[in-house]
Amino acid sequence: MASTGLQLMGLVLALLGWVCGALVCAAPLWRVSAFVGGELVIAQVLWEGLWMNCLSQTTGQIQCKTYDSTLALPMFTQAARSLTVLSLLLCLLAIILGVSGAKCTHCMGDNNQDTKARLGRIAGVLFIVAGLAYLIPICGTAYAIIRDFYDPNIAAPLKRELGPALYLGWGASIMLLVGGSLLHVGSPPPGVTTSSFKFLETARSLSTRGYSEPNRFHSIIKLSLFC
């Protein structure tokens, strides 16, 4: 039961991380105009993302435009696109494998526990790889924004700040990493699960019997050595 709970918790966290990652990938809020000048009223705010940039005005109007050419973008932006899309595809594959290998589902029948446990561990590893792949463009973009912000050679109108999408991207990466770890830990082979809980069950049964303390202690030591 404990491993089933870990599997469900890992799948839920990983699924939330996948949904948040998809929103971050599509959102144009990776870079936001920095208010570093002496102006008190800012008429326009520029938002920049992986696929489009938007211009927000004080009147409430927002105009968005996708990038005209992918090859004209910087190399880091192209790599960030590839990594985020790859991460989302890995998450989709991991969700399919994780649901198929979960103990609470009957996708592969109840007699294939070894195969289901193997699928659960593979899904956990895929979620961890997807979280790391998603963390690279998020951290790289944040580093570039902070570096340019404190660079005195860059004009104030060209400076950017960390957008809300980056913070949501960090949260999505953490959920993918934690969810993948829980799913991997909660999917041990059936033999490992049995041997791990055998000691606790026998120790509990010895405590309910009328054994003396020395005999109970020696029995527990022998059982632990046997396991």
Side-chain angles (χ1 to χ4, degrees), residues 33-42 44 149 154-161:
S33 297
F35 304 138
V36 294
E39 300 179 359
L40 297 179
V41 179
I42 305 299
Q44 295 178 344
F149 186 86
I154 298 179
L158 299 179
K159 295 181 182 295
R160 299 291 183 263
E161 289 185 355

Side-chain angles (χ1 to χ4, degrees), residues 6 16 48 72 93 136 203:
L6 289 178
L16 289 177
E48 298 177 3
L93 177 60
I136 293 175

Side-chain angles (χ1 to χ4, degrees), residues 131-205:
L132 294 176
Y134 207 91
L135 197 61
I136 293 175
I138 297 293
C139 294
T141 303
Y143 170 77
I145 292 173
I146 296 174
R147 180 197 59 195
D148 295 341
F149 186 86
Y150 291 106
D151 191 352
N153 298 322
I154 298 179
L158 299 179
K159 295 181 182 295
R160 299 291 183 263
E161 289 185 355
L162 302 178
L166 295 181
Y167 297 99
L168 185 59
W170 276 314
S173 300
I174 292 175
M175 285 189 287
L176 289 175
L177 293 174
V178 176
S181 301
L182 292 178
L183 183 59
H184 188 274
V185 172
S187 303
V192 175
T193 304
T194 303
S195 62
S196 61
F197 287 104
K198 185 187 299 182
F199 176 78
L200 295 178
E201 292 177 356
T202 309
R204 190 182 300 110
S205 64

Side-chain angles (χ1 to χ4, degrees), residues 27-32 47-49 162-166:
L29 294 172
W30 287 53
R31 300 169 181 262
V32 182
W47 302 340
E48 298 177 3
L162 302 178
L166 295 181

Side-chain angles (χ1 to χ4, degrees), residues 7 10-20 22 87-102 105 107 119-120 122-128 130 176 179-180 183:
Q7 282 184 339
L11 281 175
V12 170
L13 283 177
L15 183 60
L16 289 177
W18 178 59
V19 173
C20 294
S87 176
L88 295 177
L89 292 178
L90 286 177
C91 288
L92 183 59
L93 177 60
I95 290 173
I96 297 175
L97 295 179
V99 172
S100 301
T105 60
C107 297
L119 289 178
I122 293 175
V125 172
L126 289 178
F127 278 127
I128 294 175
L176 289 175
L183 183 59

